[in-house]
Amino acid sequence: MSIRLQTDGSSSELLRFDLHTHSVHSDGTTTPSEISQLAASLGLAGFALTDHDTTEGWEEARAAASAAGLAFLPGMEITTLHEGRSTHLLAYGLDPSHEDLNIALARVRESRVGRAREMVRRLGVDYDIVWETVNAEGSARTVGRPHIADALVTAGYFADRTAAFADVLRPGSPYYLPTYAIDTVEAIRMVRDAGGVAVLAHPAAGRHRRAVDLSALATLVDAGLWGIELDHPENRSEWIPVLAEFADAHGLQVTGASDYHGAGKANLLGEHTSSAAIWEAIRGQVAVPS
Ligand code: AMP
Ligand code: FE
Ligand code: FE
Ligand code: ZN
């Protein structure tokens, strides 16, 4: 659906859109319908569902958004690797049946299961957790460290996901393992080929020791990157100006979003958002705009 016209005389400049949310189909704790209801109650004009490596929640989100009178943009956050750095790539409006992309995403999800199983096996030596608890919902969602964190929290070892991430789940921990990730340039190529738009997620997130390298970013621009998610709760403020300048110089769009994970993370839905201009610019060029 298109953006609602305000009847109270306010302009579309006031409409806000959250372009980055996770549901129970990956590592969020709320359903797409619950995200939609919350978005409506917060007065957002629309949202994108961007679960990790899956389009599973699109149909429910689309129906719920329509029922709530919200605009919806289908999306995904793809697990990629660029020059040795874990790189999350947001993809919007892509054809979900693109064959090469689906093969690559299936490989990512399968690798995630094997990696999580092995991390749980390692953890099980010292902590009383088993794979059956972590994977209680079967393989119906993209499995990640947050699900291992939940098992550790349920067993009483940590207060919340964040505490588990700061300890046993962090890279460098003896229990940590990396997972297979798609080469970022290749992922951008496939997203574009599938009629989607690619945006680099949280390029200055504090979990990295440094912001994304500018020459590495230039490679992604050459590959067809459309934008960078600069307005994000985890981006470190000291790294933002240089990235903003880079975006300006290279014609990159700048987006904003919350990266909402329900109760799984402190990020609040709608705490960072994008404008109607960004929303329409994406929807105007993608294969699946709603
Ligand atoms: P993985 O993709 O399995 O390596 O797990 C990384 C995911 O864990 C990220 O996409 C975040 O959604 C989530 N995550 C990272 N740090 C935290 C944290 N401190 N608390 C909760 N979730 C986190
Ligand atoms: Fe996540
Ligand atoms: Fe991410
Ligand atoms: Zn995310």
Side-chain angles (χ1 to χ4, degrees):
M1 65 175 284
S2 61
I3 292 168
R4 291 171 297 164
L5 287 174
Q6 302 291 82
T7 51
D8 59 1
S10 60
S11 77
S12 67
E13 285 161 36
L14 296 178
L15 299 178
R16 304 307 303 176
F17 301 83
D18 196 329
L19 281 178
H20 188 164
T21 69
H22 296 267
S23 76
V24 291
H25 292 286
S26 63
D27 57 359
T29 63
T30 52
T31 64
S33 300
E34 287 165 338
I35 295 172
S36 179
Q37 283 156 20
L38 183 55
S41 73
L42 292 170
L44 294 176
F47 69 98
L49 182 70
T50 54
D51 274 310
H52 297 284
D53 308 308
T54 181
T55 62
E56 200 65 39
W58 285 11
E59 213 171 304
E60 182 188 331
R62 188 178 280 130
S66 172
L70 294 177
F72 172 68
L73 176 66
M76 187 172 22
E77 185 174 17
I78 305 178
T79 303
T80 77
L81 187 71
H82 185 52
E83 297 180 3
R85 179 188 172 105
S86 170
T87 299
H88 286 182
L89 188 74
L90 291 161
Y92 298 109
L94 61 160
D95 172 5
S97 66
H98 188 277
E99 200 175 338
D100 288 351
L101 190 54
N102 278 324
I103 291 168
L105 290 169
R107 184 173 170 198
V108 171
R109 291 192 303 268
E110 277 161 31
S111 168
R112 282 177 162 284
V113 173
R115 173 255 205 158
R117 283 191 86 124
E118 176 57 17
M119 282 185 70
V120 170
R121 191 197 65 74
R122 291 182 181 190
L123 282 159
V125 175
D126 298 317
Y127 296 86
D128 189 15
I129 61 164
V130 291
W131 174 243
E132 285 66 31
T133 316
V134 173
N135 196 39
E137 293 163 53
S139 53
R141 73 219 194 295
T142 304
V143 177
R145 283 181 287 157
H147 304 108
I148 305 175
D150 288 346
L152 289 163
V153 170
T154 302
Y157 295 111
F158 295 97
D160 54 24
R161 282 185 180 181
T162 299
F165 265 87
D167 194 330
V168 291
L169 299 181
R170 71 177 200 287
S173 148
Y175 309 105
Y176 177 84
L177 277 173
T179 195
Y180 166 73
I182 305 169
D183 174 72
T184 311
V185 168
E186 180 63 10
I188 292 172
R189 192 194 63 72
M190 288 191 285
V191 168
R192 284 170 56 93
D193 194 53
V197 155
V199 171
L200 185 63
H202 44 70
R207 71 184 79 123
H208 298 295
R209 279 188 301 279
R210 55 180 174 79
V212 64
D213 182 79
L214 292 186
S215 71
L217 191 50
T219 310
L220 302 185
V221 175
D222 289 343
L225 188 71
W226 184 81
I228 53 175
E229 187 186 50
L230 266 198
D231 198 7
H232 180 283
E234 289 154 66
N235 280 337
R236 293 209 342 213
S237 54
E238 66 267 33
W239 292 336
I240 292 178
V242 61
L243 286 168
E245 197 182 313
F246 180 94
D248 200 39
H250 290 79
L252 273 179
Q253 302 296 319
V254 168
T255 69
S258 70
D259 206 351
Y260 179 66
H261 280 73
K265 251 180 155 179
N267 311 30
L268 300 172
L269 188 68
E271 69 171 305
H272 293 274
T273 52
S274 290
S275 66
I278 286 287
W279 179 265
E280 286 302 313
I282 295 174
R283 295 187 61 217
Q285 62 181 307
V286 297
V288 186
S290 61

